[in-house]
Amino acid sequence: MKKIKKIEIDTSKCTGCRTCELVCSAFHYEPKYSLVNPTRSRIRVFFDEENDLYVPVIAGPYVEAECDGRKAYTIKGEKYDECCFCPVSCPSRDLFKEPDSGLPLKCDMCGEPPPPEGPLCVAWCLDDALTYVEREEEEEEEEEEKADEKESAIEYLIKKYGLEEIRDILDRKSKL
Amino acid sequence: MIYGWTGSNLEIDLSTGNIEKEEADTKLNEAYIGGRGVGTKILWDRVPPEVNPFSPDNLLIFVAGVLNGTIAPGANRTGLITRSPQTNLLTYSNMGGFWAPELKHAGYDNLIISGKSQGPVYIWINNDKVEIRDACHIWGKDTAETRSIIREELKNNKIQILCIGQAGENKVCSASIEHGAGASLSRAGVGALMGDKNVKAIAVYGTKDVNIAQPLEFYELCQKLNKKAERLREFVDNWSYERDGLLGKAVYGNLNEFRPMENIGGWHDAFLRDYRRRQISCSNCSLRCKHTIRTPDDEYSFIKCVSWYCFIACCKIQDLSFAIKCYTLCEKYGFDTLSCAHLIAFAIDLYEKGILTKKDTEGIHLEYGNADLALLLIEKIAKREGIGEILADGVYEAARKIGKGAEAYAYHVKKLEIPIYPLHHPYMNLTQSTSDRVDMLKSISAIPQHYVQKSEEIKKEYIESEYWPYPEEFKEYIWDNFDPTGADYDRITKMVSFDVDSNALSDLTGVCIFWTGFWPFNPYLIADHVRLISYATGMSLDEEEGMKIAKKASILVRAYNVILGIRKKDDAPPERFFQEPSTPPLFPAVDRKIFNKTIDAYYKLRGYEKNGIPTKKALDELDLGYVKEALVQRGILGNEKDKKNRD
Ligand code: SF4
Ligand code: SF4
Ligand code: SF4
Ligand code: SF4
């Protein structure tokens, strides 16, 4: 058995206030809360006000290639492509990447241990669009994500700047 | 490193196409905090009162508050400071939504637009990359179309947009600047100025940080305010026009009747049941006071506040679906709903009185209760067609053009259409009469009106609670109901003066006044508000200093408008309120003697002379020495003629 931590999203309750974005970005910075920048957030709200659609999307893993599927969704008569609701940090777009470095961002449930108020997006969403759930579940695939996250970040950098350059930087840093 | 502020302004000269990112003046930030304070000072320095609002030299100064773009709850207002084409005065509009926070994330505190473009353009601010782009293909489109075309064109659905519709393009004096989702910069014709400068829209997107000087303290205080907001959330959810009682009183037609709205509780229920789909919020606000509605034509639209009943009252049509149609149309054309509804009633009233005839209306018969006519008139005014051309400059200007005694039926304060609300209530009357820009909600608080009517028990609980927003000495003010004649003006003037400053403080920080001073149970007290400024920016500031800067900003506006000729005579409700009580006689007709005394007492509190001009002493106390000099130089202060008027 394994403890699964999840945030459940109820889009019908979302007011589109995007408090979750702001507080997530503030929390993940050192010193904590010293800046706010929604583009650094691991949760982003997709919205189409004209169609009354508000969908919080929580950042998932980094992928190396964009997918080919490009499923289209039709919601209340409007068409949306898959990217709108897709949680991954993918080369096709800037979403879920640090704006300056381009490093992929992924929800870490606000770390281990999480702050006393629990995952912050949930705590600050007063409209219960987000709920934190913990469940015991049979062990399934993946779930070595912690290592994965760092690894994928480095892979990303190598792809972007080349192995040599990244190695140089790492060498320099390790000498400090 | 700079905290709270971004430290930069963006300057765009449309005449030359010059775009400049400029370091903001940190001294100015410290002296005026931000938002409206800084914006007004920039206007004071750079737009002399002699400048015509429609001149290229008039500036559009879009300001972000110092707390915008942070996690301070409700800090999302966008402000606009400019000169109104309708009132000719310095005017200020503010709105909720997401625009100003985005501007800060793009790296700017303020956006200053000057000059005039040759052809239609829109401005695209993408962090440091700023472009003036051709807008010929969007000119003539409504505001919803404009937003979606621009989002498509820039391939970014996260950008925030301000735009004008046809009303702004045609320089209609009641044109607004729309942002979407029930947020707009409106009143006094600010949309016409964008049209005049040929700017269809301003789109902004940013990926930069807003830094916080004392992060932990800041976070904890914000958390506390959110917790405190629970009570207000509950209050707002359960609020109804009927229970409130006060807002249910309206002005029907062109001030033809003052009476309670019929069945307003029933409408509210019908609204919630049949039209509302969702409650939505501005950036970082949990009060979700706006509603998405499905319109009778099966589209989505947004509505907030009194907008939904001004057409019902002005057109005398008791039909919610009609009101929503009008509202949606106004939002598309980029049209101030309040002024628009008034203009329709004004035209019908003149027609019934024989002052306007079929000759003026191109054969159209004007009458109350006709929904199609109302919708037609909205279109005609927005497009300046036929009778719309006469009405498009507001009731004051229209009456002047029409003549034949029409002036007597043009109800305005300082040339701006008044709220559809009887101004008999002494608190309302004073706020609206003395405001630089008459409106419902930007300068007032519902507390004085709300609480005086409550039971002893509720009052007691309130003044002892952590929500009590006023100074200690005000506690005794809410024990008795207000005297309907306004004879107890002593407490009213004090409360108004406090509310004006407290709301002005919000204009500096960009926090919505629903959090700071409008409702009972406002989470922010002045102390929290100034503490947040300190924590965000690192500057030290106490309550007294914070309120002083807030007052300074509002006195600066006053002084500018005084140069433009505003005096005591302009701080008054339309004549009709002195003659007619509200029916059923909740309030007697305003007593001129009492009203004059009220104004005098209020002026004293604000530091004005009897004629409404700020005194030298008051200006000195507020560090406004340069204003004093300007007023003396122009012969307004220390001038013999004025002195005579004073005595
Ligand atoms: S905080 Fe909650 S309501 Fe607000 S945008 Fe996020 S999920 Fe939606
Ligand atoms: S963002 Fe779009 S392209 Fe990339 S993985 Fe998701 S759906 Fe595929
Ligand atoms: S749980 Fe924490 S890390 Fe994940 S999206 Fe919410 S705030 Fe961000
Ligand atoms: S209270 Fe209403 S208007 Fe004010 S910020 Fe919140 S949602 Fe916007």
Side-chain angles (χ1 to χ4, degrees), chain A residues 14 17 37 40 117 126-127, chain B residues 207 209 219 278 284 288:
Chain A
C14 178
C17 69
N37 181 350
R40 291 184 193 273
E117 57 269 50
L126 302 183
D127 288 294
Chain B
T207 62
D209 305 329
Y219 178 84
R278 181 197 295 267
N284 193 21
R288 60 210 178 339

Side-chain angles (χ1 to χ4, degrees), chain A residues 7 24 28 42-43 107-110 119-121:
Chain A
I7 292 171
C24 178
H28 287 86
R42 291 134 208 255
I43 178 168
C107 166
D108 62 358
M109 289 287 167
C110 289
L120 283 200
C121 57

Side-chain angles (χ1 to χ4, degrees), chain A residues 11 14-19 32-37 40 44-47 50 52 117 120 124 126-127, chain B residues 69 98 105 147 157-158 207-212 215 219 223 226 233 278 281 284-286 288 292:
Chain A
T11 57
C14 178
T15 67
C17 69
R18 288 184 262 155
T19 305
K32 271 196 175 29
Y33 314 117
S34 62
L35 64 72
V36 177
N37 181 350
R40 291 184 193 273
R44 295 305 302 271
V45 182
F46 174 80
F47 57 92
E50 251 73 53
D52 195 38
E117 57 269 50
L120 283 200
W124 280 60
L126 302 183
D127 288 294
Chain B
F98 298 84
H105 289 301
R147 283 195 298 267
N157 100 316
K158 296 223 178 324
T207 62
K208 299 188 186 186
D209 305 329
V210 172
N211 300 302
I212 302 297
Y219 178 84
Q223 210 178 16
N226 262 336
R233 278 160 57 84
R278 181 197 295 267
S281 264
N284 193 21
C285 173
S286 60
R288 60 210 178 339
T292 339

Side-chain angles (χ1 to χ4, degrees), chain A residues 63 65-71 81-93:
Chain A
V63 298
E66 50 192 278
C67 72
D68 50 0
R70 301 263 159 149
K71 241 191 288 167
D81 66 38
E82 194 174 356
C83 303
C84 298
F85 316 112
C86 175
V88 309
S89 173
C90 135
S92 77
R93 58 180 187 179

Side-chain angles (χ1 to χ4, degrees), chain B residues 249-307:
Chain B
K249 286 172 220 82
V251 169
Y252 273 83
N254 190 34
L255 268 65
N256 302 113
E257 303 154 70
F258 304 130
R259 62 176 154 95
M261 294 213 82
E262 281 159 39
N263 187 25
I264 189 150
W267 287 345
H268 197 67
D269 293 343
F271 171 71
L272 298 181
R273 190 183 60 230
D274 302 332
Y275 294 96
R276 186 173 84 179
R277 290 293 167 266
R278 181 197 295 267
Q279 284 172 281
I280 53 171
S281 264
C282 305
S283 177
N284 193 21
C285 173
S286 60
L287 300 180
R288 60 210 178 339
C289 78
K290 307 190 286 186
H291 314 287
T292 339
I293 45 178
R294 178 157 304 138
T295 69
D297 299 326
D298 208 28
E299 285 176 51
Y300 280 100
S301 184
F302 318 93
I303 205 153
K304 208 194 131 185
C305 261
V306 291
S307 290

